[in-house]
């Protein structure tokens, strides 16, 4: 074997020599171990880092009662002393570059999300776990640089960080939160509501990275905000707050927008009720009153307040609300679309109620994302003081349903053509408005494909 | 024990209890104590081992359950109790069930002859040492039962290894201990400990110096070599690294314990740790004076004993506490050495283990027997006119004789050790010879 | 190994070591035929961790494959990244800036140290040590992983390399931390050697065990420390210098016998040589020209029609990537030459005649990662 080697040489490793006294080398090993044993009593290799408030807040973990100390390994030359970190109490300070799962950013002040649904991340994602739909202007039906729904399947995400890397708007970033283990597998499919993080949070975990991106991100956001009508693009859980502040202006501008309405069903959405984003009952009532007022005032004018789907706490109430909604729909006149929807929607048992709850939650999210759409729900929920409001709502529902007939038929076609998912499609494909119809269509197609894949 | 009970009941309280009652009470107390203390020893030893070895590896070890993790073994015990007991379908269920009992029971018996302090023993058998080792061999049967009944190849391999190892290493262990029997003329463990009173310089009382309880056999060359051989054998007998071959987790999963779970597994564990404790204890008893140490004899001289029935039982307690402290401190030191070795070394291969035992340790122990004979002869012979030259060295038990014997046996033992390492080593063999040696198991030392 | 006619007639026993076994380094099965404790035959069975890596790669775009290469040999994701990035760069004719090359070399040499540190720990563990050498090796590995984390964002699945560079520049505290690591590294290596090199038990367990003669090693196309342990000074960093390895002065350690002990020693020496390379690279790094790269520029590369094979000296041996491009966004063919897999092939030859306990030691000395073997 003559392989020429430049710069450096071939060295033959020296094999061990037998020491004169057998067992002597064993004692050397014992000595090494003993030194470690002795010094591990007094020394530690990690140094403490004083935890600032911003650092301890996001990473404090589940048990907030115990203080968290951050440690770091600045001096890497030490070989002695305890090396381990006592985890829940002590944590290694995560470097700025650390990436775990992707999250979405929104601006603290305006509540506007940075994401414009440009689909870059969806395209680059190696395991294809990012899904999004683009928001649409309810007035014109044209796409808006904002995202209606954004879903990341955390369970299949490989944390490669490509999405954050390619995002031209710095809207998707890698989070530092790593304690994500759960018993609830479906909860690992994360929706926009739970993906949203304020910019200030990201700034606290990665100040250097954000400083680099800040200027261009805000510049692009300012441009995009101009193209977002109404409350589109505002983080859902802030919608209430921000739209309440803008209520007057929204009411003034309300006359032009056509009425759109949400399905005649809603229910208790435990998860939604749990989240801070869910409006309280009081708020819901308030919003309902506002909606009714607006309806009375402007006839076909939509209310700016969007208390679309105030979640109800129990199944019973869900059923009640559904029945009431059906009644309202019947009273208002029976267009076929409205009838079918009304007949399908009332939950007849717990299971149906739960189904209705899930559907309502989805609708709630949708409604949150496009807050200018409002519904007759408030009227139905809080028993109408006069029949007029209910009738108005019903009329509005009928109008919307008629408008969406075409799309609905399309959706129904695609749904019925996939016999594997008739239930879901007939439920979900209910024509509400164009957007819902499109969504239903997509969902039905996905379900069909999924079924097909399984087979 | 009976002396103290007798003293308290009859002398102090004047109850006039019959002798059988006193014996019954004392034995009941002893048995209760043993069965209460033995599992506690095991619990503490697992904790001790885990903490100590963690420090060696720059870790902390269990530190969550209780202060400093002291209740970790309890948590482990609870876990073991609540675990499902899985018996393989093809197993011989009866034998599978019996095996852990057969392994664990003899270990508990062995506690019977262990003195924890002066006068603190359950029984003082005349053949205590013999009983100890005879009973310990019984567990080999249990291991074989476990391996055979599990219907698992790893378990069978592990059991074969375990039995082969225990049988092989009982030989050097017993020959090493035989030296002590020769020195003390007794197989009673109590009298072996009592023989180690005095000063280490001559193992007999030196005039003018109080009894410091330091006449340990380790301070003689015979005892030293005996100790080394015995401790190696004890490591093998207790299946400790580097001889933990029967349960070599990287090779045969868990050996004979592979198919055991829950409390049956815990019983094997218990037996093993108790055996380790007992082996450390018997090392301490035979070579390090057991409970002997400075102050014991002074306290004991004032306590109630056969020689001094009018003593004060408080001194029994004091001497017992001090003696138990000495005994446990020494025992745990040797257990620490076991942990230390476990923390530092890989394990031998099974054929190397056998080679090492039969070709290295056993010859050394046999040489040690010769040394011991000479030691005894040179120190004690006095009458035989043929050995008149010995009297030139001085009186029997004199310092001169002792010194001569010390040097002579030391030279003999060191020479034997060097010779054995030379014989067993082949430092400059070629690769082919090396490979052949490895394949045929001819290598014992490098 | 029976002497004729002198022994009792025995029956051969078949044992499955694995796929669930403490020391098979993953889900690997060895169907061992033993006569007592002696190995008569050994049949390696693998494929339990097959996850269609190469087929997936033909569906993904070139960039999307990068994080998948992390998962091949999950100990050395940086080395895998480099081999793949080099293949695409060769295919698409992309230049790499000098500074990026230095960063790459630093990362891959750190990978080598961490791989050898933990591989030696596992080897000694397989020999029956109770975790201590492994704990020491893992301690060094953790330190290096800390550096990786601060640079790439992840400890194991680094996904750090991009076509034409690396994803981001080194963080400001990287160089001082690496220097402090390098000052501490000799302590670890020396201590490791002091503890084990002369250790009688280790030597008796490893000398003359699993001998792989030169000729056999070559005929099995074994690479890496296993080949060098057999005495062949073949190191791709020297034989076919890629990246900037021709700028560094380092030695190639070789063994003489080709047994487990030689592989052990070669790995220890390689850690020292990696440290030398790192020191030189750190010295030359400030002078290097060019930045890391702009990663956004290489999102959707469409290499010209053609094929490329690149290989690097990964810590486990020659890691090669073969790519065929049909001009589209995704590779037409994607093939990995995995060193673990090929080094594993002479296993049965190395084990025959030894004892059961030697099998795990020999397997440990090959240093396999099943993620790479099964792909």
């Amino acid at each position: 074997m003559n392989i020429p080697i430049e710069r450096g040489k071939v060295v033959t490793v020296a094999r061990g020599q037998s020491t004169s006294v057998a067992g002597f080398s064993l004692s050397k090993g014992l000595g090494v171990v003993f030194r470690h044993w002795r010094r591990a009593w007094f020394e530690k290799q990690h140094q403490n880092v004083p935890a600032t408030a911003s650092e301890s807040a996001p990473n404090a973990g589940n048990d907030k009662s115990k203080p968290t100390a951050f440690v770091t390994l600045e001096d890497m030359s030490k070989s002695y002393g305890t090396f381990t970190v006592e985890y829940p109490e002590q944590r290694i300070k995560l470097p700025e570059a650390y990436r775990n799962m992707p999250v979405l950013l929104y601006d603290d002040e305006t509540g506007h999300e940075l994401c414009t649904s440009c689909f870059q991340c969806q395209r680059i994602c190696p395991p294809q776990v990012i899904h999004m739909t683009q928001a649409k202007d309810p007035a014109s039906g044209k796409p808006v640089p904002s995202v209606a729904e954004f879903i990341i399947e955390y369970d299949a995400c490989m944390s490669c960080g490509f999405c954050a890397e390619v995002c031209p708007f710095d809207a998707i970033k890698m989070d530092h939160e790593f304690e994500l283990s759960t018993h609830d597998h479906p909860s690992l499919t994360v929706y926009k509501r739970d993906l949203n993080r304020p910019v200030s949070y990201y700034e606290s975990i990665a100040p250097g990275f954000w400083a680099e991106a800040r200027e261009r991100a805000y510049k692009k956001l300012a441009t995009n905000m101009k193209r977002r009508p109404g409350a589109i693009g505002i983080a859902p859980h802030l919608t209430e707050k921000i739209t309440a502040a803008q209520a007057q202006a929204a009411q003034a501008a309300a006359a032009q927008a056509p009425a759109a309405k949400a399905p005649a069903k809603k229910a208790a959405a435990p998860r939604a009720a749990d989240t801070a984003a869910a409006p309280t009952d009081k708020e819901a009532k308030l919003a309902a009153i506002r909606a009714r007022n607006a309806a009375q005032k402007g006839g076909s004018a939509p209310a700016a307040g969007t208390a679309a789907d105030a979640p109800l706490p129990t199944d019973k109430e869900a059923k009640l609300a559904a029945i009431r909604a059906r009644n309202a729909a019947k009273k208002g006149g029976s267009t076929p679309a409205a009838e079918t929807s009304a007949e399908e929607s009332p939950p007849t048992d717990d299971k149906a109620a739960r189904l209705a709850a899930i559907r309502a939650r989805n609708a709630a999210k949708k409604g949150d994302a496009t807050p200018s759409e409002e519904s007759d729900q408030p009227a139905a929920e809080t028993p109408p003081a006069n029949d007029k409001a209910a009738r108005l709502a019903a009329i509005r529902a009928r109008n919307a349903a008629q408008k969406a007939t075409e799309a609905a038929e399309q959706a129904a076609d695609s749904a019925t053509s996939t016999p594997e998912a008739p239930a879901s499609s007939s439920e979900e494909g209910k024509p509400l408005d164009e957007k819902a119809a499109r969504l239903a269509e997509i969902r039905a197609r996905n379900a069909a494909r999924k079924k097909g894949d399984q087979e | 024990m009976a002396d103290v009970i007798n003293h308290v009941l009859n002398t102090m309280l004047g109850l006039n209890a019959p002798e059988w009652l006193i014996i019954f009470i004392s034995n009941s107390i002893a048995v209760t104590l043993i069965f209460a203390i033995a599992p506690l020893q095991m619990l503490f030893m697992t904790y001790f081992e885990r903490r100590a070895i963690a420090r060696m590896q720059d870790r902390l070890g269990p530190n969550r359950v209780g202060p400093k993790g002291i209740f970790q073994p309890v948590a482990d015990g609870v876990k073991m109790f609540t675990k499902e007991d899985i018996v393989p379908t093809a197993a011989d269920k009866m034998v599978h069930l019996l095996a852990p009992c057969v392994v664990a029971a003899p270990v508990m018996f062995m506690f019977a002859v262990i003195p924890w302090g002066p006068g603190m023993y359950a029984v003082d058998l005349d053949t205590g040492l013999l009983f100890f080792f005879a009973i310990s061999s019984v567990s080999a049967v249990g291991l074989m039962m476990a391996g055979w009944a599990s219907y698992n190849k790893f378990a069978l391999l592990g059991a074969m290894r375990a039995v082969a190892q225990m049988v092989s290493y009982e030989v050097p262990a017993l020959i090493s201990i035989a030296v002590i029997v020769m020195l003390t003329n007794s197989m009673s463990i109590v009298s072996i400990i009592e023989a180690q009173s005095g000063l280490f310089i001559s193992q007999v009382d030196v005039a003018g110096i109080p009894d410091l309880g330091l006449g340990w056999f380790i301070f003689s060359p015979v005892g030293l070599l005996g100790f080394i051989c015995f401790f190696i054998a004890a490591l093998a007998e207790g299946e400790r690294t580097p001889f933990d071959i029967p349960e070599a987790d990287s090779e045969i999963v868990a050996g004979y314990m592979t198919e055991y779970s829950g409390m049956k597994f815990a019983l094997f564990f218990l037996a093993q740790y108790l055996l380790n404790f007992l082996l450390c204890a018997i090392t301490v008893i035979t070579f390090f004076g057991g409970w002997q140490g400075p102050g014991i004899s002074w306290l004991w001289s004032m306590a109630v004993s056969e020689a001094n029935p009018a003593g004060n039982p408080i001194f029994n307690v004091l001497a017992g506490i001090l003696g138990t402290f000495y005994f446990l401190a020494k025992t745990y030191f040797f257990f620490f050495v076991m942990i230390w070795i476990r923390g530092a070394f890989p394990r031998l291969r099974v054929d190397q283990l056998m080679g090492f035992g039969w070709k290295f340790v056993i010859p050394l122990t046999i040489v040690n027997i010769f040394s011991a004979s000479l030691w005894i002869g040179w120190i004690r012979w006095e009458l035989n006119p043929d050995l008149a030259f010995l009297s030139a060295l001085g009186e029997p038990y004199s310092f001169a004789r002792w010194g001569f014997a010390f040097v002579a046996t030391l030279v003999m033992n060191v020479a034997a050790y060097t010779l054995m390492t030379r014989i067993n080593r082949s430092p400059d063999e070629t690769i082919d010879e090396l490979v052949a040696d490895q394949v045929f198991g001819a290598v014992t030392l490098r | 190994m029976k002497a004729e006619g002198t022994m009792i007639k025995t029956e051969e026993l078949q044992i499955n070591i694995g796929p669930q076994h403490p020391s098979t380094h993953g889900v690997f099965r060895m169907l061992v035929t033993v006569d007592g404790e002696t190995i008569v035959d050994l049949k390696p069975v693998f494929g339990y961790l097959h996850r269609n890596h190469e087929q997936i790669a033909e569906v993904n775009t070139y960039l999307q494959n990068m994080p998948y290469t992390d998962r091949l040999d999950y100990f050395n994701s940086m080395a895998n990244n480099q081999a793949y990035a080099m293949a695409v760069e060769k295919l698409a004719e992309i230049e790499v800036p000098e500074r990026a090359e230095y960063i790459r070399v630093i990362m891959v040499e750190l990978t080598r140290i961490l791989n050898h540190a933990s591989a030696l720990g596992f080897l000694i563990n397989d020999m029956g040590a109770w975790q201590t050498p492994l704990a020491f090796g893992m301690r060094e590995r953790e330190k290096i992983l800390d550096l990786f984390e601060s640079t790439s964002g992840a400890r194991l699945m680094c996904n750090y390399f991009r076509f034409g560079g690396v994803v981001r520049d080194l963080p400001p505290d990287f160089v001082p931390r690496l220097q402090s690591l390098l000052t501490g590294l000799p302590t670890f290596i020396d201590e490791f050697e002091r503890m084990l090199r002369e250790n009688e038990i280790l030597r008796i367990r490893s000398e003359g065990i699993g001998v792989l003669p030169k000729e056999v090693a070559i005929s099995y196309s074994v690479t890496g420390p296993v080949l060098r342990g057999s005495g062949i000074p073949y190191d791709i960093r020297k034989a076919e210098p890629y990246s900037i390895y021709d700028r560094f002065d380092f030695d190639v350690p070789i063994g003489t016998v080709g047994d487990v002990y030689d592989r052990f020693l070669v790995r220890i020496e390689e850690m020292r040589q990696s440290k030398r390379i790192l020191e030189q690279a750190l010295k030359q790094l400030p002078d290097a020209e060019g930045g890391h790269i702009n990663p956004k520029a290489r999102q959707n590369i469409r290499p010209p029609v053609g094929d490329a094979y690149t290989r690097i000296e990964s810590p486990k041996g020659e890691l090669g990537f073969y790519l065929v491009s049909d001009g589209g966004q995704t590779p037409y063919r994607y093939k990995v030459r995995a060193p673990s897999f090929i080094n594993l092939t002479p296993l049965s030859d190395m084990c025959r005649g030894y004892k059961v306990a030697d099998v795990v030691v020999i397997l440990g000395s090959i240093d396999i990662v099943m993620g790479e073997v099964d792909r």
Side-chain angles (χ1 to χ4, degrees), chain B residues 153 161 250 342-343 438, chain C residues 14 23 37 130 132 204 207:
Chain B
K153 288 166 183 170
R161 287 176 173 195
S250 61
R342 188 180 181 192
Q438 285 283 15
Chain C
Q14 280 210 328
S23 57
E37 288 263 353
W130 208 83
T132 310
I204 195 177
E207 283 189 63

Side-chain angles (χ1 to χ4, degrees), chain C residues 54 72 220-224 234 236 309-312 316-322 335-343 372 375:
Chain C
E54 292 178 2
L72 275 176
Y220 275 107
S221 78
V222 160
T223 47
Y234 178 70
I236 298 167
Y309 178 74
T310 52
R311 51 190 192 155
I312 66 158
K316 292 184 166 63
E318 174 182 332
L319 174 64
F321 276 85
Y322 178 64
K335 164 93 176 73
V336 186
R337 189 233 187 255
S340 295
F341 175 69
I342 292 170
N343 289 358
E372 195 178 48
R375 300 197 290 287

Side-chain angles (χ1 to χ4, degrees), chain B residues 31 58 75 118 157 161 187 196 220 235 255 344 347 406 412 419:
Chain B
V31 167
D58 301 341
L157 270 178
R161 287 176 173 195
M187 284 174 95
Q196 298 183 62
S220 64
L235 286 174
R347 77 170 73 83
F406 191 94
M412 188 160 165
L419 186 69

Side-chain angles (χ1 to χ4, degrees), chain B residues 37-52:
Chain B
I37 286 169
L40 284 180
Q41 291 295 332
M42 181 262 181
L43 290 184
F44 181 69
M45 279 164 82
T46 52
Y47 170 73
F48 179 57
E49 169 157 35
R50 291 169 70 179
R51 288 288 283 190

Side-chain angles (χ1 to χ4, degrees), chain A residues 6-9 11 13-17 23 36 73 76 78-80 97 99 123-124 158 160 165, chain C residues 64 71 139 143 153 158-159 162 167 177 180 191 197-198 200 203 238 251-252 254 259 262 296:
Chain A
E6 294 163 15
R7 310 200 56 174
K9 53 191 185 299
V11 291
V13 288
R15 293 171 74 89
Q17 300 297 310
H36 276 275
L73 194 65
M76 290 196 167
K78 283 182 84 173
S79 294
Y80 291 96
R99 55 182 152 87
R123 238 174 268 141
I124 197 78
M158 63 203 279
C160 63
E165 217 170 274
Chain C
Q64 280 178 344
R71 275 103 178 139
R139 188 191 63 218
K143 292 177 186 172
C158 296
N159 188 21
R162 294 289 179 272
V167 64
R177 284 178 94 190
S180 105
E191 197 171 58
R197 186 194 185 102
E198 305 272 310
E200 277 93 346
R203 290 182 60 202
K238 291 286 188 196
D251 301 342
V252 178
I254 58 165
D259 55 3
D262 267 341
K296 292 190 186 183

Side-chain angles (χ1 to χ4, degrees), chain A residues 1-37 39 45-46 71-84 92-100 120-128 156-162 164-170 173-176 178 202 209 212 216 220, chain C residues 60-61 63-68 70-71 132 136 138-140 142-144 146-147 149-155 157-160 162 167-168 173 176-178 180-185 187-188 191-192 194-201 203 206-208 214 218 231-235 238-239 241 246-259 261-262 265-266 269 273 276 280 295-296 299-300:
Chain A
M1 267 320 111
N2 269 328
I3 296 163
I5 285 185
E6 294 163 15
R7 310 200 56 174
K9 53 191 185 299
V10 174
V11 291
T12 306
V13 288
R15 293 171 74 89
Q17 300 297 310
S18 296
T19 44
S20 52
V21 184
F24 180 72
S25 306
L26 291 178
S27 66
K28 284 202 286 193
L30 285 178
V32 168
V33 171
F34 187 78
R35 209 171 309 127
H36 276 275
W37 180 78
R39 292 181 66 168
Q45 295 193 28
H46 284 87
V71 294
T72 181
L73 194 65
E74 285 304 326
D75 178 16
M76 290 196 167
S77 58
K78 283 182 84 173
S79 294
Y80 291 96
T82 349
F83 187 77
T84 44
I92 294 178
K93 192 172 173 296
L94 293 172
E96 224 177 294
Y98 177 75
R99 55 182 152 87
N100 197 30
Q120 289 273 13
C121 49
Q122 185 175 336
R123 238 174 268 141
I124 197 78
C125 179
Q128 299 281 299
C157 173
M158 63 203 279
S159 301
C160 63
F162 276 157
E165 217 170 274
V166 299
C167 184
F169 301 97
D170 292 288
K173 290 288 176 195
M174 303 307 278
D175 197 5
H176 284 198
F178 52 86
Y202 184 66
F209 284 14
E212 220 174 86
R216 64 165 188 262
K220 285 175 179 170
Chain C
N60 284 345
T61 64
L63 183 59
Q64 280 178 344
N65 282 333
M66 188 61 85
Y68 283 96
D70 289 339
R71 275 103 178 139
T132 310
F136 294 169
M138 282 289 171
R139 188 191 63 218
E140 295 307 307
E142 284 298 307
K143 292 177 186 172
I144 296 171
D146 269 6
L147 291 177
E149 192 183 26
S150 72
T151 313
S152 72
R155 300 172 81 81
M157 305 298 151
C158 296
N159 188 21
Y160 182 55
R162 294 289 179 272
V167 64
R168 66 175 74 85
D173 62 343
R177 284 178 94 190
L178 177 56
S180 105
L181 175 81
L182 290 182
T183 49
L185 201 61
T187 324
F188 159 68
E191 197 171 58
F192 205 83
R194 184 178 161 77
M195 188 172 162
L196 293 163
R197 186 194 185 102
E198 305 272 310
N199 188 312
E200 277 93 346
I201 298 174
R203 290 182 60 202
S206 60
E207 283 189 63
K214 279 183 190 182
I218 292 171
I232 298 161
Y234 178 70
D235 186 325
K238 291 286 188 196
D246 48 354
R247 301 183 192 182
F248 302 118
D249 181 15
F250 63 97
D251 301 342
V252 178
I254 58 165
T256 45
V257 182
D259 55 3
Y261 190 56
D262 267 341
L265 297 173
V266 163
E269 190 56 35
Q273 298 304 328
R276 273 177 73 186
Q280 294 169 49
K296 292 190 186 183
Q299 269 176 44
N300 291 310

